[in-house]
Amino acid sequence: MDLDIEDEDSHSGTEDIGFGNAGSRKRSSVDHYLLSSYRILKEKKETEDKTEQHDENKPPSEESKMRSAVRRNFKKVAKAITKQRKLSSLLEDIAHQGDDHTKAKGFVAQTGTEQGQDRASFNVNAFKAHIQSCGAIPPDVKAILVKQSWNRSKEEVEKVLRIVKRMKGFNRYPLYVKRELARVVYHGKYQSGRCIIRQGHVGISFYFIVSGTVTVERIEEDRVTGEKHIQIVGEMSEGDSFGELALLHDIRRAATIICKTSCEFLIVDKDDFNEVLRMSHQIEYEKKMSVLSTHPAFATWTNVEKKQTVPHTKIRVFQHDMIILGGKQASSDFAYFIISGKCNVVREIMVVKKLFNSGKARYSLPSINDTKHGILSVQDYANKKIERKLLIIRTLNEGDFFGVGEDLDKTYIITAERVSCVLINHLALLKRDRGKYMEEMRQRLMKSFPTQQEAFKGFLDDYNWKQYKTKCIKDVVKKLHKPNCTTCDDVPLVVRRDNAYYFE
Protein backbone atom coordinates (compact mmCIF):
# COMPACT_ATOMS: atom_id res chain seq x y z
CA MET A 1 0.00 0.00 0.00
CA ASP A 2 1.54 3.32 -1.07
CA LEU A 3 1.53 6.30 1.33
CA ASP A 4 1.55 9.75 -0.27
CA ILE A 5 2.86 12.54 1.98
CA GLU A 6 1.43 15.95 1.15
CA ASP A 7 3.68 18.92 0.62
CA GLU A 8 3.40 22.08 2.66
CA ASP A 9 1.47 23.97 -0.08
CA SER A 10 -0.93 21.11 -0.92
CA HIS A 11 -4.69 21.57 -0.47
CA SER A 12 -6.65 19.76 2.18
CA GLY A 13 -9.00 18.36 -0.45
CA THR A 14 -6.31 16.36 -2.25
CA GLU A 15 -7.24 12.66 -2.51
CA ASP A 16 -4.65 10.13 -1.29
CA ILE A 17 -4.22 6.90 -3.20
CA GLY A 18 -5.20 3.89 -1.14
CA PHE A 19 -7.31 5.78 1.45
CA GLY A 20 -10.96 6.67 1.72
CA ASN A 21 -12.19 10.22 2.31
CA ALA A 22 -12.29 9.74 6.08
CA GLY A 23 -8.75 8.37 6.13
CA SER A 24 -7.63 11.23 3.90
CA ARG A 25 -9.14 13.87 6.20
CA LYS A 26 -7.64 12.22 9.28
CA ARG A 27 -4.20 11.93 7.70
CA SER A 28 -4.42 15.49 6.34
CA SER A 29 -5.14 16.86 9.81
CA VAL A 30 -2.15 14.98 11.23
CA ASP A 31 0.09 16.34 8.45
CA HIS A 32 -1.11 19.90 9.08
CA TYR A 33 -0.47 19.44 12.80
CA LEU A 34 3.09 18.24 12.13
CA LEU A 35 3.70 21.06 9.66
CA SER A 36 2.44 23.70 12.06
CA SER A 37 4.62 22.23 14.84
CA TYR A 38 7.58 22.24 12.47
CA ARG A 39 6.97 25.93 11.61
CA ILE A 40 6.84 26.86 15.30
CA LEU A 41 10.09 25.01 16.04
CA LYS A 42 11.75 26.53 12.97
CA GLU A 43 10.73 30.08 13.97
CA LYS A 44 11.94 29.44 17.53
CA LYS A 45 15.28 28.15 16.23
CA GLU A 46 15.71 31.21 13.96
CA THR A 47 14.95 33.50 16.91
CA GLU A 48 17.53 31.69 19.07
CA ASP A 49 20.12 31.90 16.28
CA LYS A 50 19.56 35.66 15.93
CA THR A 51 19.85 36.06 19.69
CA GLU A 52 23.07 34.05 19.75
CA GLN A 53 24.51 36.10 16.87
CA HIS A 54 23.56 39.30 18.68
CA ASP A 55 25.13 38.10 21.96
CA GLU A 56 28.15 36.31 20.53
CA ASN A 57 30.50 39.00 21.89
CA LYS A 58 29.10 38.52 25.39
CA PRO A 59 30.57 35.83 27.68
CA PRO A 60 28.37 32.72 27.93
CA SER A 61 26.12 32.58 30.94
CA GLU A 62 26.14 29.83 33.52
CA GLU A 63 22.83 28.53 32.15
CA SER A 64 24.20 28.22 28.60
CA LYS A 65 27.32 26.47 29.91
CA MET A 66 25.15 24.00 31.80
CA ARG A 67 22.99 23.35 28.72
CA SER A 68 26.04 22.69 26.52
CA ALA A 69 27.47 20.35 29.16
CA VAL A 70 24.18 18.44 29.36
CA ARG A 71 24.06 18.25 25.55
CA ARG A 72 27.60 16.84 25.38
CA ASN A 73 26.87 14.27 28.08
CA PHE A 74 23.69 13.21 26.31
CA LYS A 75 25.60 12.65 23.06
CA LYS A 76 28.20 10.52 24.88
CA VAL A 77 25.50 8.40 26.52
CA ALA A 78 23.68 7.97 23.19
CA LYS A 79 26.88 6.79 21.48
CA ALA A 80 27.61 4.35 24.31
CA ILE A 81 24.09 2.90 24.14
CA THR A 82 24.35 2.51 20.35
CA LYS A 83 27.67 0.64 20.63
CA GLN A 84 26.29 -1.58 23.39
CA ARG A 85 23.22 -2.50 21.31
CA LYS A 86 25.39 -3.41 18.32
CA LEU A 87 27.65 -5.56 20.52
CA SER A 88 24.65 -7.27 22.15
CA SER A 89 23.14 -8.17 18.78
CA LEU A 90 26.50 -9.52 17.61
CA LEU A 91 26.86 -11.70 20.72
CA GLU A 92 23.34 -13.04 20.26
CA ASP A 93 24.27 -14.14 16.73
CA ILE A 94 27.39 -15.83 18.09
CA ALA A 95 25.39 -17.67 20.76
CA HIS A 96 23.25 -19.33 18.05
CA GLN A 97 26.33 -20.81 16.39
CA GLY A 98 27.09 -23.24 19.21
CA ASP A 99 30.56 -24.01 20.57
CA ASP A 100 32.34 -24.65 17.27
CA HIS A 101 33.99 -21.25 17.37
CA THR A 102 35.87 -22.16 20.56
CA LYS A 103 37.57 -25.04 18.77
CA ALA A 104 38.43 -22.99 15.71
CA LYS A 105 39.73 -20.08 17.82
CA GLY A 106 37.39 -17.72 15.96
CA PHE A 107 33.76 -17.05 15.15
CA VAL A 108 31.57 -15.62 12.42
CA ALA A 109 28.39 -13.65 13.02
CA GLN A 110 25.67 -12.61 10.55
CA THR A 111 24.73 -8.93 10.62
CA GLY A 112 21.79 -7.56 8.67
CA THR A 113 22.13 -4.52 6.45
CA GLU A 114 19.99 -2.80 3.84
CA GLN A 115 21.80 -4.69 1.08
CA GLY A 116 21.39 -8.08 2.77
CA GLN A 117 23.52 -10.18 5.06
CA ASP A 118 27.16 -9.38 5.90
CA ARG A 119 29.63 -11.63 7.69
CA ALA A 120 31.54 -10.27 10.69
CA SER A 121 34.47 -12.53 11.60
CA PHE A 122 36.96 -12.54 14.46
CA ASN A 123 40.09 -14.69 14.65
CA VAL A 124 41.36 -15.18 18.22
CA ASN A 125 44.74 -16.53 17.13
CA ALA A 126 45.22 -13.56 14.81
CA PHE A 127 44.31 -11.22 17.67
CA LYS A 128 46.88 -12.85 19.97
CA ALA A 129 49.49 -12.66 17.24
CA HIS A 130 48.87 -8.92 16.82
CA ILE A 131 47.69 -9.35 13.24
CA GLN A 132 46.09 -6.20 11.92
CA SER A 133 43.04 -6.94 9.83
CA CYS A 134 41.88 -4.55 7.13
CA GLY A 135 38.33 -5.98 7.19
CA ALA A 136 36.32 -6.74 4.08
CA ILE A 137 37.22 -4.93 0.88
CA PRO A 138 34.30 -2.67 -0.13
CA PRO A 139 32.51 -3.54 -3.41
CA ASP A 140 33.51 -0.25 -5.05
CA VAL A 141 37.20 -0.97 -4.34
CA LYS A 142 36.81 -4.52 -5.73
CA ALA A 143 35.43 -3.00 -8.90
CA ILE A 144 38.55 -0.83 -9.14
CA LEU A 145 40.85 -3.82 -8.55
CA VAL A 146 39.36 -5.58 -11.59
CA LYS A 147 40.54 -2.77 -13.90
CA GLN A 148 43.91 -2.74 -15.61
CA SER A 149 46.49 -0.56 -13.90
CA TRP A 150 46.61 1.98 -16.75
CA ASN A 151 42.82 2.45 -16.62
CA ARG A 152 42.72 3.47 -12.94
CA SER A 153 42.28 7.17 -12.19
CA LYS A 154 44.13 9.01 -9.45
CA GLU A 155 41.01 9.02 -7.25
CA GLU A 156 40.61 5.26 -7.66
CA VAL A 157 44.26 4.66 -6.78
CA GLU A 158 43.77 6.70 -3.61
CA LYS A 159 40.75 4.56 -2.67
CA VAL A 160 42.82 1.39 -3.03
CA LEU A 161 45.69 3.03 -1.13
CA ARG A 162 43.44 3.54 1.90
CA ILE A 163 42.84 -0.23 2.00
CA VAL A 164 46.52 -1.01 1.46
CA LYS A 165 47.55 1.24 4.36
CA ARG A 166 45.31 -0.72 6.75
CA MET A 167 46.90 -4.11 5.97
CA LYS A 168 49.76 -5.38 8.08
CA GLY A 169 51.30 -7.19 5.13
CA PHE A 170 52.14 -3.82 3.56
CA ASN A 171 53.58 -2.17 6.69
CA ARG A 172 57.18 -2.93 5.69
CA TYR A 173 56.91 -0.82 2.52
CA PRO A 174 57.33 2.97 2.38
CA LEU A 175 54.44 5.15 1.27
CA TYR A 176 55.59 5.58 -2.32
CA VAL A 177 55.78 1.77 -2.74
CA LYS A 178 52.28 1.39 -1.25
CA ARG A 179 50.97 3.93 -3.75
CA GLU A 180 52.54 2.01 -6.63
CA LEU A 181 51.07 -1.23 -5.27
CA ALA A 182 47.63 0.41 -5.13
CA ARG A 183 48.04 1.08 -8.83
CA VAL A 184 49.03 -2.47 -9.90
CA VAL A 185 47.42 -4.98 -7.45
CA TYR A 186 44.27 -6.81 -8.36
CA HIS A 187 41.78 -8.86 -6.34
CA GLY A 188 41.33 -12.62 -6.27
CA LYS A 189 38.95 -14.82 -4.28
CA TYR A 190 39.18 -18.63 -4.07
CA GLN A 191 37.20 -21.28 -2.23
CA SER A 192 38.49 -23.85 0.26
CA GLY A 193 40.64 -26.57 -1.32
CA ARG A 194 41.80 -24.45 -4.26
CA CYS A 195 45.50 -24.83 -5.12
CA ILE A 196 47.01 -21.35 -5.52
CA ILE A 197 50.57 -22.30 -6.47
CA ARG A 198 52.13 -25.74 -6.96
CA GLN A 199 55.63 -26.90 -6.15
CA GLY A 200 57.84 -27.04 -9.25
CA HIS A 201 55.72 -24.66 -11.34
CA VAL A 202 56.97 -21.38 -12.81
CA GLY A 203 56.23 -18.34 -10.64
CA ILE A 204 54.10 -15.65 -12.26
CA SER A 205 52.51 -13.81 -9.30
CA PHE A 206 53.04 -12.62 -5.73
CA TYR A 207 50.18 -12.88 -3.19
CA PHE A 208 49.05 -10.90 -0.13
CA ILE A 209 46.45 -12.66 2.04
CA VAL A 210 43.53 -10.35 2.81
CA SER A 211 41.36 -12.94 4.60
CA GLY A 212 41.33 -16.69 5.21
CA THR A 213 44.01 -19.31 5.90
CA VAL A 214 46.25 -21.30 3.56
CA THR A 215 48.41 -24.38 4.16
CA VAL A 216 51.99 -24.72 2.95
CA GLU A 217 52.96 -28.20 1.67
CA ARG A 218 56.19 -29.63 0.32
CA ILE A 219 56.93 -32.89 -1.45
CA GLU A 220 59.95 -34.43 0.29
CA GLU A 221 61.98 -37.37 -1.04
CA ASP A 222 63.62 -39.94 1.24
CA ARG A 223 67.33 -40.07 0.39
CA VAL A 224 67.60 -43.75 1.27
CA THR A 225 64.44 -45.28 -0.20
CA GLY A 226 63.65 -42.61 -2.80
CA GLU A 227 60.01 -42.52 -1.72
CA LYS A 228 58.17 -39.22 -1.90
CA HIS A 229 55.74 -37.97 0.72
CA ILE A 230 53.82 -34.74 1.31
CA GLN A 231 54.82 -32.75 4.39
CA ILE A 232 52.74 -29.87 5.74
CA VAL A 233 55.23 -27.12 6.51
CA GLY A 234 52.83 -24.68 8.16
CA GLU A 235 49.93 -22.28 7.75
CA MET A 236 49.60 -18.62 6.80
CA SER A 237 46.71 -16.27 7.43
CA GLU A 238 45.68 -12.69 6.77
CA GLY A 239 48.59 -10.29 6.90
CA ASP A 240 51.04 -12.84 5.43
CA SER A 241 52.39 -12.97 1.87
CA PHE A 242 53.97 -15.65 -0.31
CA GLY A 243 55.34 -16.34 -3.77
CA GLU A 244 58.18 -13.80 -3.83
CA LEU A 245 61.15 -16.21 -3.86
CA ALA A 246 60.39 -17.69 -7.29
CA LEU A 247 60.06 -14.18 -8.73
CA LEU A 248 63.08 -12.84 -6.90
CA HIS A 249 65.54 -15.56 -7.95
CA ASP A 250 63.82 -16.77 -11.16
CA ILE A 251 63.40 -20.29 -9.78
CA ARG A 252 60.54 -22.81 -9.63
CA ARG A 253 58.00 -22.78 -6.85
CA ALA A 254 59.49 -24.32 -3.69
CA ALA A 255 56.15 -25.30 -2.07
CA THR A 256 52.46 -25.81 -2.73
CA ILE A 257 49.91 -23.38 -1.30
CA ILE A 258 46.32 -24.61 -0.80
CA CYS A 259 43.35 -22.65 0.59
CA LYS A 260 42.30 -24.11 3.94
CA THR A 261 39.30 -21.77 4.06
CA SER A 262 37.70 -19.38 1.62
CA CYS A 263 40.42 -16.80 0.93
CA GLU A 264 40.81 -13.36 -0.60
CA PHE A 265 44.11 -12.12 -2.02
CA LEU A 266 45.69 -9.01 -3.43
CA ILE A 267 47.87 -10.21 -6.32
CA VAL A 268 50.88 -8.63 -8.03
CA ASP A 269 52.02 -9.99 -11.41
CA LYS A 270 55.68 -10.73 -12.17
CA ASP A 271 56.28 -7.66 -14.34
CA ASP A 272 54.79 -5.33 -11.73
CA PHE A 273 56.72 -7.15 -9.00
CA ASN A 274 59.99 -6.55 -10.84
CA GLU A 275 59.11 -2.90 -11.28
CA VAL A 276 57.78 -2.11 -7.80
CA LEU A 277 58.85 -4.73 -5.24
CA ARG A 278 62.00 -6.49 -6.43
CA MET A 279 64.38 -4.05 -4.74
CA SER A 280 62.50 -4.16 -1.40
CA HIS A 281 62.39 -7.95 -1.30
CA GLN A 282 66.02 -8.24 -2.40
CA ILE A 283 67.02 -6.02 0.52
CA GLU A 284 64.87 -8.11 2.89
CA TYR A 285 66.42 -11.36 1.61
CA GLU A 286 69.94 -10.03 2.10
CA LYS A 287 69.03 -8.82 5.60
CA LYS A 288 67.78 -12.29 6.57
CA MET A 289 70.97 -13.87 5.22
CA SER A 290 73.05 -11.34 7.16
CA VAL A 291 71.18 -12.14 10.39
CA LEU A 292 71.63 -15.89 9.93
CA SER A 293 75.33 -15.40 9.16
CA THR A 294 76.06 -13.25 12.23
CA HIS A 295 73.83 -14.88 14.86
CA PRO A 296 75.84 -17.24 17.12
CA ALA A 297 73.12 -19.92 17.00
CA PHE A 298 73.89 -20.51 13.29
CA ALA A 299 77.68 -20.37 13.46
CA THR A 300 78.00 -24.05 12.45
CA TRP A 301 75.51 -23.85 9.55
CA THR A 302 76.70 -23.96 5.96
CA ASN A 303 75.77 -21.24 3.47
CA VAL A 304 73.49 -23.68 1.60
CA GLU A 305 71.57 -24.52 4.80
CA LYS A 306 71.09 -20.83 5.53
CA LYS A 307 69.73 -20.16 2.04
CA GLN A 308 67.31 -23.07 2.40
CA THR A 309 66.12 -21.64 5.75
CA VAL A 310 65.44 -18.09 4.48
CA PRO A 311 61.98 -18.98 3.00
CA HIS A 312 60.91 -20.16 6.47
CA THR A 313 62.21 -17.01 8.18
CA LYS A 314 60.51 -13.83 9.35
CA ILE A 315 61.87 -10.70 10.98
CA ARG A 316 59.59 -9.18 13.60
CA VAL A 317 59.83 -6.15 15.89
CA PHE A 318 58.13 -6.20 19.32
CA GLN A 319 57.47 -3.08 21.35
CA HIS A 320 58.27 -2.52 25.02
CA ASP A 321 56.27 -4.52 27.63
CA MET A 322 54.79 -6.94 25.11
CA ILE A 323 54.16 -10.62 25.91
CA ILE A 324 55.69 -12.66 23.09
CA LEU A 325 55.14 -16.17 24.48
CA GLY A 326 53.93 -17.70 27.70
CA GLY A 327 51.27 -19.60 29.62
CA LYS A 328 49.69 -23.00 29.09
CA GLN A 329 48.13 -22.02 25.78
CA ALA A 330 51.36 -20.52 24.44
CA SER A 331 52.13 -22.45 21.29
CA SER A 332 54.09 -21.20 18.34
CA ASP A 333 55.30 -22.74 15.11
CA PHE A 334 58.40 -20.55 15.23
CA ALA A 335 61.60 -20.32 17.24
CA TYR A 336 62.68 -16.80 18.22
CA PHE A 337 66.29 -15.60 17.91
CA ILE A 338 66.97 -12.15 19.39
CA ILE A 339 68.75 -9.74 17.05
CA SER A 340 68.63 -6.66 19.29
CA GLY A 341 67.08 -5.68 22.61
CA LYS A 342 66.37 -7.84 25.63
CA CYS A 343 63.48 -9.83 27.11
CA ASN A 344 62.64 -10.82 30.67
CA VAL A 345 61.62 -14.37 31.53
CA VAL A 346 58.85 -13.91 34.12
CA ARG A 347 57.59 -16.86 36.16
CA GLU A 348 54.44 -17.00 38.25
CA ILE A 349 54.79 -18.75 41.63
CA MET A 350 52.33 -19.19 44.48
CA VAL A 351 53.61 -18.54 48.03
CA VAL A 352 52.06 -18.86 51.50
CA LYS A 353 52.18 -15.63 53.51
CA LYS A 354 51.90 -16.00 57.30
CA LEU A 355 51.32 -12.85 59.35
CA PHE A 356 52.45 -12.52 62.99
CA ASN A 357 51.07 -10.28 65.71
CA SER A 358 54.20 -8.12 65.50
CA GLY A 359 53.31 -7.19 61.93
CA LYS A 360 56.07 -9.25 60.35
CA ALA A 361 55.41 -11.80 57.63
CA ARG A 362 56.99 -15.11 56.69
CA TYR A 363 56.81 -16.69 53.22
CA SER A 364 56.97 -20.36 52.29
CA LEU A 365 56.11 -22.57 49.33
CA PRO A 366 52.56 -23.93 49.49
CA SER A 367 51.69 -27.56 50.01
CA ILE A 368 49.13 -29.46 47.92
CA ASN A 369 46.31 -28.47 50.30
CA ASP A 370 47.31 -24.82 50.14
CA THR A 371 47.08 -24.65 46.37
CA LYS A 372 43.82 -26.61 46.34
CA HIS A 373 41.89 -24.70 49.00
CA GLY A 374 43.72 -21.37 49.21
CA ILE A 375 44.20 -21.73 53.00
CA LEU A 376 45.65 -24.44 55.21
CA SER A 377 42.70 -24.81 57.53
CA VAL A 378 39.83 -22.86 58.99
CA GLN A 379 41.76 -21.73 62.08
CA ASP A 380 44.64 -20.46 59.92
CA TYR A 381 42.38 -18.30 57.76
CA ALA A 382 43.14 -15.09 59.70
CA ASN A 383 46.94 -15.21 59.46
CA LYS A 384 47.78 -17.37 56.45
CA LYS A 385 46.88 -16.99 52.79
CA ILE A 386 48.07 -17.82 49.28
CA GLU A 387 49.62 -15.03 47.21
CA ARG A 388 50.61 -14.89 43.53
CA LYS A 389 54.06 -13.50 42.74
CA LEU A 390 55.65 -12.69 39.38
CA LEU A 391 59.42 -13.08 39.40
CA ILE A 392 62.01 -12.22 36.76
CA ILE A 393 64.08 -15.41 36.65
CA ARG A 394 66.29 -14.56 33.67
CA THR A 395 67.05 -11.89 31.08
CA LEU A 396 67.48 -12.87 27.42
CA ASN A 397 69.87 -10.63 25.49
CA GLU A 398 71.07 -10.29 21.92
CA GLY A 399 72.16 -13.69 20.61
CA ASP A 400 69.81 -15.68 22.88
CA PHE A 401 66.80 -17.68 21.70
CA PHE A 402 63.48 -19.06 22.96
CA GLY A 403 60.36 -20.82 21.66
CA VAL A 404 62.23 -24.07 20.89
CA GLY A 405 59.80 -26.31 22.78
CA GLU A 406 60.67 -25.33 26.36
CA ASP A 407 58.06 -25.64 29.12
CA LEU A 408 56.43 -22.23 29.49
CA ASP A 409 53.72 -23.24 31.96
CA LYS A 410 53.25 -20.18 34.21
CA THR A 411 56.25 -18.62 32.48
CA TYR A 412 56.17 -15.63 30.14
CA ILE A 413 58.61 -14.01 27.74
CA ILE A 414 58.10 -10.23 28.03
CA THR A 415 60.05 -7.54 26.23
CA ALA A 416 62.07 -5.22 28.48
CA GLU A 417 62.61 -2.79 25.60
CA ARG A 418 62.11 -2.67 21.85
CA VAL A 419 63.17 -6.10 20.58
CA SER A 420 63.94 -7.36 17.07
CA CYS A 421 63.76 -11.12 16.48
CA VAL A 422 64.24 -13.48 13.58
CA LEU A 423 61.56 -16.20 13.57
CA ILE A 424 62.33 -19.59 12.03
CA ASN A 425 59.73 -22.30 11.47
CA HIS A 426 60.18 -25.35 13.72
CA LEU A 427 60.04 -27.70 10.74
CA ALA A 428 63.11 -26.03 9.24
CA LEU A 429 65.00 -26.61 12.49
CA LEU A 430 63.75 -30.18 12.89
CA LYS A 431 65.27 -31.11 9.53
CA ARG A 432 68.75 -30.47 10.92
CA ASP A 433 70.22 -33.65 12.45
CA ARG A 434 66.72 -35.19 12.52
CA GLY A 435 65.60 -32.92 15.36
CA LYS A 436 68.67 -33.34 17.56
CA TYR A 437 69.78 -29.76 16.97
CA MET A 438 66.49 -28.31 18.24
CA GLU A 439 66.40 -30.73 21.18
CA GLU A 440 69.87 -29.61 22.25
CA MET A 441 68.72 -25.99 22.09
CA ARG A 442 65.69 -26.81 24.23
CA GLN A 443 67.73 -28.60 26.89
CA ARG A 444 70.31 -25.82 27.01
CA LEU A 445 67.58 -23.20 27.46
CA MET A 446 65.75 -25.19 30.16
CA LYS A 447 68.98 -25.61 32.15
CA SER A 448 69.39 -21.84 32.25
CA PHE A 449 65.94 -21.46 33.90
CA PRO A 450 65.91 -21.84 37.70
CA THR A 451 63.65 -24.41 39.36
CA GLN A 452 60.69 -23.40 41.50
CA GLN A 453 62.75 -23.81 44.70
CA GLU A 454 65.59 -21.71 43.26
CA ALA A 455 63.15 -19.05 42.13
CA PHE A 456 61.55 -18.99 45.59
CA LYS A 457 64.98 -18.68 47.25
CA GLY A 458 65.73 -15.71 45.01
CA PHE A 459 62.36 -14.19 46.00
CA LEU A 460 63.19 -14.61 49.73
CA ASP A 461 66.64 -13.05 49.32
CA ASP A 462 65.12 -10.09 47.51
CA TYR A 463 62.34 -9.75 50.10
CA ASN A 464 64.78 -9.90 53.05
CA TRP A 465 67.08 -7.38 51.36
CA LYS A 466 64.19 -4.95 50.86
CA GLN A 467 63.13 -5.37 54.48
CA TYR A 468 66.69 -4.70 55.65
CA LYS A 469 66.96 -1.54 53.53
CA THR A 470 63.61 -0.30 54.84
CA LYS A 471 64.73 -0.89 58.44
CA CYS A 472 68.04 0.95 57.89
CA ILE A 473 66.27 3.94 56.37
CA LYS A 474 63.79 4.08 59.26
CA ASP A 475 66.63 3.94 61.83
CA VAL A 476 68.52 6.78 60.11
CA VAL A 477 65.40 8.94 59.90
CA LYS A 478 64.59 8.22 63.54
CA LYS A 479 68.05 9.33 64.68
CA LEU A 480 67.83 12.54 62.67
CA HIS A 481 64.72 13.58 64.57
CA LYS A 482 66.09 12.60 68.03
CA PRO A 483 66.95 15.71 70.14
CA ASN A 484 70.62 16.13 71.21
CA CYS A 485 70.78 16.63 75.02
CA THR A 486 74.57 16.29 75.39
CA THR A 487 76.32 19.02 77.51
CA CYS A 488 79.96 19.83 78.32
CA ASP A 489 79.60 17.99 81.62
CA ASP A 490 79.11 14.74 79.73
CA VAL A 491 82.67 14.98 78.31
CA PRO A 492 85.30 13.19 80.47
CA LEU A 493 87.42 15.45 82.67
CA VAL A 494 90.71 14.25 81.16
CA VAL A 495 89.53 15.22 77.69
CA ARG A 496 88.40 18.63 78.89
CA ARG A 497 91.79 19.32 80.48
CA ASP A 498 93.77 18.36 77.37
CA ASN A 499 91.44 20.38 75.11
CA ALA A 500 90.57 23.27 77.37
CA TYR A 501 90.58 25.75 74.50
CA TYR A 502 87.47 24.05 73.12
CA PHE A 503 85.51 24.75 76.30
CA GLU A 504 86.46 28.36 76.90
Side-chain angles (χ1 to χ4, degrees), residues 211-226:
S211 64
T213 304
V214 300
T215 58
V216 185
E217 298 180 355
R218 277 182 58 87
I219 299 176
E220 301 287 349
E221 183 177 351
D222 194 309
R223 296 180 181 179
V224 179
T225 62

Side-chain angles (χ1 to χ4, degrees), residues 2-209:
D2 297 329
L3 303 180
D4 295 339
I5 300 177
E6 293 182 349
D7 294 333
E8 184 178 353
D9 297 329
S10 61
H11 299 286
S12 60
T14 304
E15 183 176 352
D16 294 338
I17 299 175
F19 288 90
N21 292 333
S24 175
R25 288 193 297 272
K26 182 179 179 180
R27 184 173 168 280
S28 178
S29 61
V30 172
D31 286 345
H32 281 296
Y33 171 76
L34 292 175
L35 290 172
S36 60
S37 301
Y38 172 73
R39 290 194 196 98
I40 295 172
L41 290 174
K42 188 175 180 180
E43 291 173 359
K44 186 178 180 181
K45 183 69 170 61
E46 291 176 352
T47 305
E48 290 178 353
D49 292 341
K50 291 180 181 179
T51 305
E52 289 179 358
Q53 290 177 0
H54 180 71
D55 300 337
E56 62 181 0
N57 294 328
K58 296 182 180 180
S61 63
E62 292 295 330
E63 184 178 358
S64 62
K65 289 181 180 179
M66 186 177 297
R67 286 180 180 177
S68 61
V70 171
R71 194 179 296 112
R72 287 195 301 270
N73 292 336
F74 177 77
K75 289 181 179 179
K76 290 180 181 179
V77 173
K79 288 181 179 179
I81 292 173
T82 304
K83 290 181 179 179
Q84 184 64 30
R85 290 182 65 183
K86 289 181 179 179
L87 180 60
S88 300
S89 61
L90 179 62
L91 294 176
E92 287 177 2
D93 292 334
I94 296 167
H96 292 300
Q97 294 182 3
D99 297 331
D100 292 339
H101 62 275
T102 59
K103 300 176 184 177
K105 298 295 183 183
F107 58 79
V108 175
Q110 300 288 342
T111 58
T113 60
E114 294 180 357
Q115 289 79 15
Q117 294 287 334
D118 289 342
R119 291 171 63 84
S121 62
F122 178 73
N123 189 320
V124 179
N125 287 335
F127 177 77
K128 291 181 178 179
H130 307 282
I131 289 178
Q132 181 181 1
S133 173
C134 72
I137 299 178
D140 58 336
V141 177
K142 288 183 181 180
I144 297 171
L145 293 172
V146 174
K147 296 181 179 180
Q148 298 292 341
S149 59
W150 55 83
N151 290 331
R152 299 179 188 178
S153 64
K154 183 180 287 188
E155 292 77 13
E156 291 174 337
V157 171
E158 289 299 321
K159 274 188 177 181
V160 178
L161 179 60
R162 286 196 289 269
I163 299 296
V164 168
K165 284 180 178 179
R166 288 156 50 189
M167 294 187 63
K168 184 180 179 182
F170 296 92
N171 284 350
R172 51 183 165 174
Y173 304 119
L175 182 59
Y176 73 92
V177 174
K178 292 179 182 177
R179 182 169 276 104
E180 287 298 312
L181 284 172
R183 182 177 58 84
V184 300
V185 295
Y186 63 94
H187 179 261
K189 184 174 182 179
Y190 304 101
Q191 298 301 319
S192 174
R194 173 70 179 269
C195 180
I196 307 301
I197 63 176
R198 190 172 296 278
Q199 183 177 348
H201 285 193
V202 177
I204 57 174
S205 298
F206 175 51
Y207 299 83
F208 295 94
I209 304 177

Side-chain angles (χ1 to χ4, degrees), residues 217-269:
E217 298 180 355
R218 277 182 58 87
I219 299 176
E220 301 287 349
E221 183 177 351
D222 194 309
R223 296 180 181 179
V224 179
T225 62
E227 294 181 357
K228 295 182 180 180
H229 62 279
I230 298 175
Q231 183 178 16
I232 297 178
V233 178
E235 292 184 357
M236 291 186 290
S237 57
E238 58 180 287
D240 292 327
S241 57
F242 59 90
E244 71 276 16
L245 286 178
L247 305 181
L248 195 62
H249 303 292
D250 291 325
I251 58 177
R252 300 274 180 169
R253 296 294 193 188
T256 299
I257 306 294
I258 300 175
C259 293
K260 185 178 180 180
T261 63
S262 179
C263 300
E264 287 187 85
F265 303 95
L266 290 181
I267 307 170
V268 182
D269 284 336

